[in-house]
Structures are given as structure tokens and as C-alpha cells.
Amino acid sequence: QVRLVDSGGDSVQPGGFLRLSCVSSGDTYGRYCFGWFRQAPGKERKRIAVISSGGGYEYLDSAVEGRSAISRDNAKNTVYLSLNNLKFEDTAMYYCAAVRVTGDNWCPSDHRAFDYWGQGTQVTVSS
């Protein structure tokens, strides 16, 4: 069992920067892929970024690619999502998620494959 607590969301102006954090607890021995997803009102949950257990595989959605980064600090059981040059369309609830995997360099693409979820942290971009 894994518990995730995500944080770091805030209300910022366009062009601003945020770093979201996801702290995990519980099973620290298994291999886990971590991901960040976001969901805006009336829209489906969307995968934004994932990072594999070993850190060798990363994915960034085209909507944030070039202005964001995902990273993990296994010593702190924390996964980060940095968002630069924030845009109005980045406004959403952001969720951290995890799924146990058997390999070090693979992550599922479908949010339904992820078993563990944080409570969400709100990012609002407004002027």
C-alpha cells in the first residue's frame, strides 16, 4: 500500500513558476512508476508527466513539454513537477499517482492503470 500527498499548487500569474511535490509513504521496496495528471472542470483527466522507477524513462505531454520537468528523489520519497511559463490553460487540479511495475524503465500511459492517487493540488493561472 502506498499513500501519496501532493502539494505546491497555488494561484499565479501567467508566466509564473510552480513546483509541485508528491511525497510517498508505505511500500518503499517495490518499483513504482510515478505520474502527474491534471483535470480541468468539465474535462477528462489527462496525463502530464511520468517518470519510471529507475528514472531512465520520462514522458512530458506536448502541452507542457519544453517548459516543465519531472524528477524524483528516492531518498526523500518525493516526486516533483516543475512548471515554468505558466499559461491560463494550465489551470486545473493536479494529481500525483503511482503504480507498481516490474521494470525500471516503463510506465503505463493510461491513468486507469495507476492504483494510488494523491488528494490533488489546485493550480490556478490568472491575471
Side-chain angles (χ1 to χ4, degrees):
Q1 193 75 9
V2 173
R3 181 170 180 260
L4 303 176
V5 178
D6 36 34
S7 62
D10 204 347
S11 181
V12 297
Q13 294 184 340
F17 165 83
L18 284 175
R19 189 174 80 158
L20 309 182
S21 299
C22 173
V23 179
S24 62
S25 60
D27 178 10
T28 58
Y29 296 99
R31 291 187 176 97
Y32 286 90
C33 165
F34 284 85
W36 284 98
F37 299 78
R38 71 185 184 189
Q39 188 166 19
K43 295 188 176 181
E44 293 185 355
R45 190 165 296 191
K46 182 178 182 180
R47 180 183 60 158
I48 295 300
V50 297
I51 186 166
S52 64
S53 174
Y57 170 75
E58 296 178 10
Y59 167 86
L60 294 170
D61 187 79
S62 59
V64 299
E65 191 175 19
R67 58 187 183 92
S68 67
I70 186 170
S71 61
R72 62 190 294 165
D73 185 337
N74 289 337
K76 295 182 178 180
N77 294 326
T78 302
V79 176
Y80 304 97
L81 178 67
S82 297
L83 298 168
N84 295 284
N85 190 23
L86 281 159
K87 304 176 180 181
F88 292 120
E89 51 265 38
D90 293 320
T91 295
M93 184 71 80
Y94 284 69
Y95 298 91
C96 173
V99 59
R100 187 160 183 167
V101 294
T102 56
D104 285 333
N105 295 302
W106 177 83
C107 284
S109 59
D110 194 326
H111 71 275
R112 291 168 292 185
F114 286 76
D115 298 314
Y116 306 102
W117 291 84
Q119 80 285 2
T121 186
Q122 178 69 38
V123 172
T124 301
V125 183
S126 65
S127 55

